[in-house]
Amino acid sequence: MGLWPAVLLAREGCAVTVLEANRASIGASWAAAGMLAPASEAGHHAASPGALDAFRVYSLGLWQDWAAHFEKNVQDINWRPCGVLHTAFEAASKVHLESCFEAAKRLDLSPSWLTRNEAVRREPNLNPALHSALMIGAEASVNPRLVLIALQKMLIAAGGKIINNHKVASVDPVNSSLDVMCANGETFNAERLIIAAGFQCGAISGLDELTSALRPVKGQMLLLDTPQNPLQAVIRNQHCYLVPRGNGQTVIGATSEPGRDDVLTDEETLNQLHGKATKTVAVLSEATRLSGWAGVRPQSKDGLPLIGPLGMAGVYINGGHYRNGVLMAPASAKMLCDMVLERQTGPFNDAFDPGRFASC
């Protein structure tokens, strides 16, 4: 949320400095699985589904070109346009699949119902005790950690700077510019400032309007060693999701723990994730665990992202993307870049305007 608009602005000739709170980018994007799945996510948000769905699909379209650019000019990002296979192992679970099918059909994302035999032919290691299976062929996945590295390389190549271990503590207007003070006492002066601090945006002094706009939702995940690459597509059901990297590793996720802002894992939770994955793909029971980790998703009060100017002149936010930050990153960055450069920004301003919480 910080690096992508920084790259776009640096390419436009702006002098851009990214203040990274840690030694490297290890926030929600680093922790994410990297699914690019608009229809698959449609059931997780109730508010303004039209705007959010359209924005997700628009961003997925941008991903097509960005992925090709990353792979050709920067580095591999593990782009996998292999679709998402939804599975249900009991009749009650088919309701969510039907919702995803309707969303995918509405959004022109190539959904198709599969018979049990068709699903197992596509994914031979899938548990054959299926009740229902739905394939959304236009969806994809990437490795967000590789994308973060690629964006950092692109920013440096465009003349931008990244300064690690500089967590922003306060923002103050000074004449027609902004003083940005870091927790270590160092101060920077800027004409424009983009806040992309995840669920902690509201903790920055001077930005009180964000204090109650965002909440943390912790998620724990697991990485398995799968040298035989037992899956091609992303597999999702009501119990877990499985994201194959195609490089001998598979990501298993994820818990949803509202109000938790720590990044600690616990063995019982990781055991449960592994067990759920095994019920979907039995051969994963033999897979060695490479690592487990936790991240904290930033969720807004209405489930929609906050993209745009705040009350303090010259300050913008790019946050609140909750489960879909990786998916919506290129569209959010373009929208924000156009705002900063005072260009036409498209139809999503009102839905994602941070000012919608001003009177709450």
Side-chain angles (χ1 to χ4, degrees):
M1 293 304 137
L3 284 171
W4 213 311
V7 167
L8 296 185
L9 289 165
R11 287 172 139 191
E12 293 280 353
C14 299
V16 178
T17 298
V18 172
L19 300 176
E20 168 59 50
N22 301 292
R23 57 175 173 76
S25 299
I26 57 172
S29 298
W30 180 89
M35 289 178 288
L36 309 177
S40 297
E41 287 294 315
H44 290 284
H45 300 268
S48 299
L52 190 60
D53 286 351
F55 194 66
R56 291 193 194 111
V57 173
Y58 167 56
S59 200
L60 178 62
L62 294 180
W63 260 111
Q64 307 281 342
D65 291 337
W66 272 103
H69 177 79
F70 285 137
E71 300 275 347
K72 181 179 179 180
N73 301 304
V74 189
Q75 68 166 46
D76 173 51
I77 60 163
N78 199 216
W79 166 250
R80 292 178 59 79
C82 302
V84 174
L85 178 61
H86 289 259
T87 57
F89 294 95
E90 55 278 325
S93 298
K94 189 182 179 183
V95 174
H96 181 66
L97 271 63
E98 291 171 344
S99 174
C100 290
F101 175 81
E102 292 302 322
K105 186 170 65 173
R106 183 176 71 251
L107 300 172
D108 196 24
L109 292 177
S110 308
S112 57
W113 290 106
L114 303 182
T115 66
R116 180 183 305 172
N117 289 339
E118 288 172 337
V120 174
R121 276 200 298 271
R122 281 177 176 262
E123 298 290 350
N125 290 299
L126 193 65
N127 182 345
L130 282 170
H131 178 275
S132 309
L134 169 67
M135 186 71 187
I136 304 180
E139 298 185 327
S141 68
V142 294
N143 185 332
R145 299 182 186 183
L146 296 178
V147 177
L148 286 169
I149 294 170
L151 289 170
Q152 290 171 45
K153 290 180 178 179
M154 290 176 67
L155 177 59
I156 299 302
K161 299 178 182 177
I162 302 173
I163 304 178
N164 294 326
N165 298 312
H166 278 63
K167 183 176 183 179
V168 173
S170 67
V171 181
D172 294 295
V174 179
N175 298 322
S176 58
S177 65
L178 300 159
D179 273 354
V180 183
M181 179 174 286
C182 297
N184 63 5
E186 190 170 354
T187 299
F188 296 81
N189 187 261
E191 294 181 10
R192 299 287 186 272
L193 176 66
I194 296 172
I195 301 296
F199 75 94
Q200 300 181 83
C201 289
I204 297 173
S205 178
L207 306 181
D208 299 339
E209 64 199 282
L210 298 175
T211 301
S212 62
L214 298 164
R215 71 164 184 168
V217 182
K218 177 180 174 179
Q220 298 186 52
M221 302 180 68
L222 186 63
L223 181 66
L224 301 181
D225 183 26
T226 52
Q228 302 304 315
N229 292 318
L231 298 173
Q232 289 300 309
V234 172
I235 309 294
R236 292 179 62 137
N237 54 49
Q238 288 188 310
H239 307 294
C240 64
Y241 56 74
L242 295 76
V243 184
R245 293 292 186 224
N247 62 353
Q249 298 179 353
T250 302
V251 176
I252 310 299
T255 65
S256 183
E257 304 170 46
R260 295 283 300 277
D261 62 3
D262 65 277
V263 290
L264 302 175
T265 60
D266 64 83
E267 195 65 20
E268 181 180 355
T269 297
L270 297 182
N271 286 339
Q272 291 174 353
L273 283 174
H274 198 172
K276 291 174 181 178
T278 295
K279 290 179 181 178
T280 304
V281 177
V283 296
L284 295 180
S285 63
E286 305 167 5
T288 302
R289 298 183 192 178
L290 295 175
S291 62
W293 66 89
V296 184
R297 312 173 185 95
Q299 183 184 31
S300 71
K301 289 195 293 187
D302 60 5
L304 301 176
L306 291 80
I307 309 171
L310 297 176
M312 187 183 297
V315 181
Y316 301 77
I317 183 174
N318 194 21
H321 293 73
Y322 188 34
R323 296 168 55 96
N324 299 156
V326 177
L327 169 60
M328 294 192 285
S332 300
K334 184 180 186 307
M335 181 175 168
L336 200 55
C337 179
D338 288 340
M339 287 180 175
V340 171
L341 297 178
E342 299 181 349
R343 298 192 296 218
Q344 188 170 351
T345 56
F348 302 105
N349 290 25
D350 291 342
F352 305 150
D353 182 0
R356 67 187 185 273
F357 297 135
S359 60
C360 296

